[in-house]
Amino acid sequence: MLRSLCTRIRPLQVAATSSQCQLLSGNSKGFLPLLNIFTKSWNTWLQPTCSQSIVPSRCSSIDQLHRNGPHKKKVRDTKKHMQGKPQIKGIVLKVVTRKPKKPNSANRRCVRLRLTDGREVTAFVPGEGHNLQEHNVVLVEGGRTQDLIGVKHTVIRGKYDCAHVVKKKR
């Protein structure tokens, strides 16, 4: 069994010489230290090289690493649609109602806006009822509405021309 262990290690490009195999199969004094060496580095020997990898396109050659450096994961900018600003002013172009994604069914009130930086976006109007019309000025914050596709802004109620939510009468 010990001799077969050495023959199994050789295809994995491990430096197992014939003298080490004799130590393994011979006396037990030479076996224990060598077994410790095998067990400590056994996990690193069993790691596949790039040629043995399941996904070879992920591996970089030494030349590519030398030219490009190690692979760095791209960090996504979470505030990209607001360009780092907490709020931004916009003018209402159109008042629309949007239908939400599958399990929900209530129509959502949205407005099409032209922001001060020139972009046109769709923003969700929270709360029940609103007084927004075309050409009204509103303040918008980032924050997507999960069941509305492509709506990544929310109108702030009580600022500029957008009134507060009216309290329900009993």
Side-chain angles (χ1 to χ4, degrees):
M1 182 197 146
L2 296 175
R3 195 171 290 270
S4 65
L5 179 67
C6 280
T7 56
R8 284 186 192 153
I9 292 171
R10 274 199 189 125
L12 293 173
Q13 301 170 349
V14 177
T17 60
S18 59
S19 62
Q20 288 172 339
C21 286
Q22 287 171 0
L23 278 174
L24 282 173
S25 59
N27 59 0
S28 61
K29 290 179 184 174
F31 173 75
L32 289 176
L34 196 57
L35 185 63
N36 288 339
I37 293 169
F38 276 122
T39 54
K40 284 179 185 172
S41 57
W42 184 257
N43 292 334
T44 57
W45 286 350
L46 291 179
Q47 295 296 323
T49 60
C50 285
S51 61
Q52 297 168 342
S53 177
I54 297 169
V55 185
S57 62
R58 283 284 175 109
C59 293
S60 300
S61 67
I62 293 174
D63 185 45
Q64 288 170 333
L65 286 171
H66 177 69
R67 280 188 279 122
N68 305 328
H71 175 72
K72 294 180 182 80
K73 193 171 183 181
K74 292 178 183 175
V75 179
R76 286 179 53 190
D77 187 13
T78 56
K79 297 192 176 186
K80 179 180 156 189
H81 55 273
M82 288 296 286
Q83 297 171 343
K85 302 170 187 170
Q87 294 95 18
I88 192 166
K89 192 162 63 167
I91 298 170
V92 177
L93 300 175
K94 189 182 192 182
V95 179
V96 293
T97 58
R98 286 276 187 96
K99 289 187 177 179
K101 288 201 289 189
K102 196 62 179 245
N104 299 331
S105 60
N107 291 336
R108 309 277 187 251
R109 305 292 183 265
C110 297
V111 288
R112 191 81 182 146
L113 301 169
R114 175 170 287 120
L115 302 178
T116 53
D117 60 1
R119 293 183 298 134
E120 284 189 19
V121 296
T122 305
F124 173 66
V125 182
E128 291 184 13
H130 64 81
N131 65 334
L132 293 178
Q133 299 172 356
E134 199 174 340
H135 305 299
N136 282 4
V137 179
V138 293
L139 191 65
V140 178
E141 65 183 352
R144 80 183 184 99
T145 309
Q146 289 189 341
D147 60 355
L148 291 174
I149 299 167
V151 179
K152 297 178 181 168
H153 300 82
T154 305
V155 173
I156 298 175
R157 300 293 300 250
K159 274 287 182 188
Y160 302 132
D161 295 337
C162 187
H164 287 284
V165 177
V166 178
K167 193 172 182 180
K168 289 184 180 179
K169 294 179 182 176
R170 292 187 185 197

